[in-house]
Amino acid sequence: MAKWVFWAEEIAEKIIKRKKLHFTEQKIPEEKNWTVKSSSSLSGVLHIGRLSDIIRVEAQARALEKAGFNADFIYVTEDMDPLRKIPAGVPKEFEQYIGFPVSDVPDPKGCHKSYAEHFTSEFLEVFEKFLSIKPKVYSMRKEYKKGNFNQEILDLVKNREKVKEIIEKTQESKVGKNWSVWKPICEKCGNLQTTTITKVEGKKIHYKCQDYKFEKFTAKGCGHKGISDLKKPNGKLIWKSEWAAQWKRWKVCSEGAGKEYESRNSAFWVNAEITEKVLNFPYPEPIFYEHLIIGGTKMSASLGNVVYPADWLKVSRPETLKYLYMKRLMKTRSFEWKDVPLMELELDRVIENAEKKTGNDVEQLKNKTYSEFVKVKDRKLVPLQADYALCSFLNGFYKKEAIINKLKELNKIDSNSKDELNALNERIELSKVWLEKYAPEESRIVFSEKTSSVSEEMKEVFLEAIKVLKKTDKTEEIQQKIFEIGKTKNIPSKKLFTEFYQTLIEKKFGPKLGQLIIAIGKDKVIKKLEESVKN
């Protein structure tokens, strides 16, 4: 019996089996509907690393559904977060909005009502292309305005001393005399980050609006002194309370979080204790995961190494990125554009092996599970014999129609079905863009028009190779026969194939020689070898 368990199914089992809260002896409440939640802040760049959370949370939702546990899938836009910096492409004058909730900042492009709405719509549009289930989307700004958090706000403010005690246990400094879980928006200037609490008086939070310094920018306070009345709150809960309130509000049973939250002093565990001890609700089973790095470095707009989801979809299948995130959670994943052919090949093997039920029990289970969980709505995964690297290579020589014919020559098309041809056309288009934009120099293969001189020994090999090419079209046979020619003449295989590559493509190495010859075209290769012999 296979022992391997997919991480999402392992977490699903924990959720289903739990009976009571962790911090108290209270029983888990009976709820008709639970949810699994993903969220993201809109104050930073929405790159493929941000996609990892929603992709993994979707997997968790599917694992629970598979286990017969009723849980909805939701995505929350953290659009009450303050604008902390000005991203690339946003005008410098937007510095005046530093500290404002991103939902209250104008759209820099002028096409939406706000900064938050613009970037949310962009993200929603692209992430649906990676999912098999469409999540229900919530805006924190709208939720606060509707009063949907009023009860949680009142409960947390009422129990501020208990919340304070939980928070202070995990940090060296005290939170201060006038500390509050509630952060008002200045009623005069509209800034969130600049309000400093001066007094807490029941349901009334007194504040003063003054400058607040972020790492690179300063949020400018207007000096106003005001009172935030929690009967009609305008502001937000601080993060070490808001997360707990979200879990209670949406009945969250599982949520994703980066590896930094695994630490017992992190905001996750602070909120976990708050939600159980103050709000009497079980904290969700966490999906802790490592972050994606680019070429060994964290993604950063300032470093110019950000990979956007839309750019990914121009060169690779959405399922390939999903597969990267389906694997072991707490292992660092590094990505570079040059890796795409290898990543595509890895997923090809999973799909093919799942279909053919190749391998032992554990391997079969892994392949079946991964091929199921990487699926995207309205897309069909088809095993392809023509791998990504080969299609990329052929793009250097031919147009799409000719590539299809060449793949038939190479026996790389199985059924010639509509599904296979659609998948193949997609692969040809994706690999063409990759070849043009991201391929390393060694992957850019072009037939050499230059006639080079070769040794007398190699001239003899070329003459023998010409005879082989005139008799067969089979790539493996061509490869083997040329290898045997070199062997009979005592030429090391590395030197033998290097001579062919330098003659045909001016490189010291390349794809399998048999494939290369058929891809270029036998007649063209024969002519080239004949010219080299005469030279």
Side-chain angles (χ1 to χ4, degrees):
M1 190 72 178
K3 291 181 180 178
W4 178 81
V5 180
F6 181 46
W7 59 262
E9 292 174 343
E10 188 176 21
I11 293 171
E13 189 177 1
K14 285 183 185 177
I15 292 166
I16 294 164
K17 286 185 174 179
R18 65 185 182 173
K19 301 297 179 188
K20 62 180 184 178
L21 276 58
H22 294 269
F23 289 95
T24 72
E25 291 300 309
Q26 187 176 320
K27 288 184 178 180
I28 299 287
E30 293 287 336
E31 298 287 350
K32 287 183 180 178
N33 285 301
W34 294 86
T35 64
V36 288
K37 170 181 167 276
S38 175
S39 67
S40 60
S41 171
L42 302 172
S43 57
V45 177
L46 296 171
H47 47 61
I48 61 169
R50 295 282 191 95
L51 271 177
S52 72
D53 190 271
I54 197 162
I55 285 172
R56 284 164 172 145
V57 171
E58 183 213 37
Q60 192 58 64
R62 292 183 64 194
L64 285 165
E65 181 183 39
K66 188 178 173 183
F69 186 87
N70 190 14
D72 295 326
F73 174 33
I74 68 169
Y75 171 73
V76 179
T77 61
E78 303 290 354
D79 52 6
M80 276 297 287
D81 286 1
L83 184 68
R84 293 178 171 84
K85 57 184 178 181
I86 307 301
V90 175
K92 192 176 186 299
E93 54 264 31
F94 270 66
E95 284 184 25
Q96 65 183 299
Y97 299 112
I98 292 292
F100 279 67
V102 290
S103 55
D104 297 354
V105 177
D107 176 12
K109 306 291 182 184
C111 50
H112 291 83
K113 289 179 182 177
S114 70
Y115 180 103
E117 197 175 296
H118 178 92
F119 290 103
T120 299
S121 65
E122 276 190 1
F123 196 49
L124 293 180
E125 187 180 333
V126 79
F127 78 43
E128 284 187 14
K129 295 174 182 177
F130 290 85
L131 303 177
S132 61
I133 307 172
K134 188 174 182 178
K136 187 170 183 180
V137 179
Y138 291 92
S139 151
M140 280 305 292
R141 183 54 157 155
K142 288 177 183 176
E143 289 296 298
Y144 276 124
K145 280 187 174 180
K146 288 175 185 175
N148 288 341
F149 277 93
N150 284 4
Q151 188 57 56
E152 285 76 22
I153 293 166
L154 291 172
D155 287 345
L156 288 162
V157 170
K158 181 183 175 182
N159 291 283
R160 64 189 285 262
E161 288 304 319
K162 196 184 286 187
V163 175
K164 181 180 176 182
E165 182 186 332
I166 292 168
I167 291 173
E168 287 184 338
K169 279 194 305 184
T170 62
Q171 58 189 42
E172 292 179 8
S173 59
K174 301 294 182 183
V175 296
K177 180 186 173 185
N178 295 318
W179 173 87
S180 173
V181 297
W182 181 249
K183 181 77 170 162
I185 289 175
C186 178
E187 60 191 340
K188 186 177 180 182
C189 71
N191 205 308
L192 168 70
Q193 197 63 40
T194 52
T195 53
T196 300
I197 309 301
T198 55
K199 186 168 69 171
V200 178
E201 194 176 46
K203 295 178 184 177
K204 292 184 177 180
I205 312 294
H206 297 250
Y207 68 88
K208 182 180 180 181
C209 185
Q210 53 193 26
D211 289 0
Y212 181 91
K213 190 166 179 59
F214 288 103
E215 188 180 342
K216 292 183 179 178
F217 296 93
T218 298
K220 298 291 184 182
C222 68
H224 176 70
K225 293 178 181 178
I227 300 172
S228 178
D229 191 340
L230 297 185
K231 289 178 183 176
K232 196 174 180 182
N234 182 29
K236 77 184 288 290
L237 289 162
I238 62 169
W239 187 229
K240 289 180 180 178
S241 281
E242 187 180 61
W243 213 351
Q246 289 178 342
W247 294 339
K248 175 76 180 283
R249 156 83 178 96
W250 284 301
K251 315 299 181 209
V252 180
C253 64
S254 188
E255 178 162 7
K259 67 167 185 177
E260 64 275 18
Y261 288 106
E262 191 179 27
S263 163
R264 283 286 162 172
N265 289 336
S266 76
F268 181 90
W269 293 110
V270 170
N271 278 283
E273 194 167 346
I274 291 169
T275 197
E276 293 202 349
K277 287 185 174 179
V278 179
L279 300 178
N280 302 312
F281 189 78
Y283 72 77
E285 285 293 336
I287 309 165
F288 291 128
Y289 52 81
E290 263 284 3
H291 296 291
L292 182 71
I293 58 174
I294 305 297
T297 309
K298 188 178 177 181
M299 263 189 281
S300 165
S302 60
L303 293 173
N305 67 346
V306 172
V307 178
Y308 295 97
D311 291 334
W312 176 277
L313 292 172
K314 288 174 187 173
V315 300
S316 186
R317 294 173 292 180
E319 295 90 350
T320 306
L321 185 64
K322 287 189 83 169
Y323 177 58
L324 180 71
Y325 292 141
M326 287 303 103
K327 293 186 282 187
R328 196 147 54 93
L329 290 171
M330 289 301 283
K331 182 177 178 180
T332 303
R333 306 287 170 192
S334 184
F335 169 75
E336 292 182 68
W337 285 113
K338 68 178 178 61
D339 300 332
V340 171
L342 220 58
M343 293 170 71
E344 287 279 335
L345 180 62
E346 193 178 349
L347 181 59
D348 284 347
R349 286 173 177 161
V350 167
I351 299 161
E352 184 181 4
N353 291 337
E355 192 171 88
K356 293 180 178 177
K357 297 183 179 177
T358 305
N360 60 35
D361 287 351
V362 171
E363 289 166 340
Q364 285 186 41
L365 180 58
K366 280 185 176 182
N367 292 328
K368 182 177 180 292
T369 303
Y370 287 139
S371 60
E372 178 187 337
F373 277 86
V374 300
K375 284 180 180 175
V376 173
K377 189 179 179 183
D378 300 327
R379 284 177 56 85
K380 190 170 183 179
L381 276 176
V382 181
L384 294 174
Q385 292 302 309
D387 66 59
Y388 189 100
L390 175 59
C391 290
S392 167
F393 160 59
L394 292 173
N395 267 306
F397 295 93
Y398 306 103
K399 291 186 177 177
K400 189 194 289 182
E401 296 74 18
I403 292 174
I404 297 288
N405 291 331
K406 189 58 67 174
L407 289 171
K408 286 177 182 175
E409 278 184 55
L410 291 165
N411 296 314
K412 293 294 182 181
I413 296 180
D414 277 345
S415 62
N416 211 26
S417 67
K418 185 180 177 182
D419 286 338
E420 185 182 18
L421 290 175
N422 285 342
L424 206 49
N425 279 315
E426 177 189 50
R427 172 155 288 179
I428 291 166
E429 288 171 8
L430 294 174
S431 61
K432 185 175 190 294
V433 176
W434 177 81
L435 181 68
E436 291 168 353
K437 292 186 72 174
Y438 304 114
E441 188 55 40
E442 60 267 22
S443 297
R444 299 177 186 274
I445 298 170
V446 179
F447 180 67
S448 174
E449 300 295 341
K450 187 172 73 177
T451 303
S452 56
S453 59
V454 293
S455 65
E456 291 301 318
E457 185 181 44
M458 280 308 298
K459 285 180 182 180
E460 290 177 21
V461 172
F462 283 1
L463 285 170
E464 292 294 318
I466 290 167
K467 291 176 188 177
V468 170
L469 296 179
K470 286 179 178 179
K471 289 180 181 178
T472 182
D473 293 324
K474 295 178 180 177
T475 59
E476 291 303 323
E477 190 176 345
I478 290 168
Q479 184 89 13
Q480 185 60 31
K481 293 283 186 186
I482 290 175
F483 173 76
E484 287 170 3
I485 292 167
K487 195 173 180 182
T488 58
K489 296 185 181 296
N490 295 316
I491 301 172
S493 60
K494 185 177 179 181
K495 182 178 186 300
L496 173 78
F497 289 112
T498 298
E499 290 281 358
F500 272 93
Y501 291 134
Q502 287 186 322
T503 299
L504 298 176
I505 57 175
E506 294 184 47
K507 290 185 183 291
K508 290 183 178 179
F509 50 84
K512 280 189 174 181
L513 186 58
Q515 276 192 7
L516 178 66
I517 289 168
I518 296 301
I520 292 171
K522 275 200 327 176
D523 293 342
K524 206 171 178 180
V525 171
I526 288 169
K527 186 181 176 184
K528 185 67 185 290
L529 295 179
E530 286 174 341
E531 288 171 357
S532 296
V533 169
K534 290 175 186 175
N535 192 24

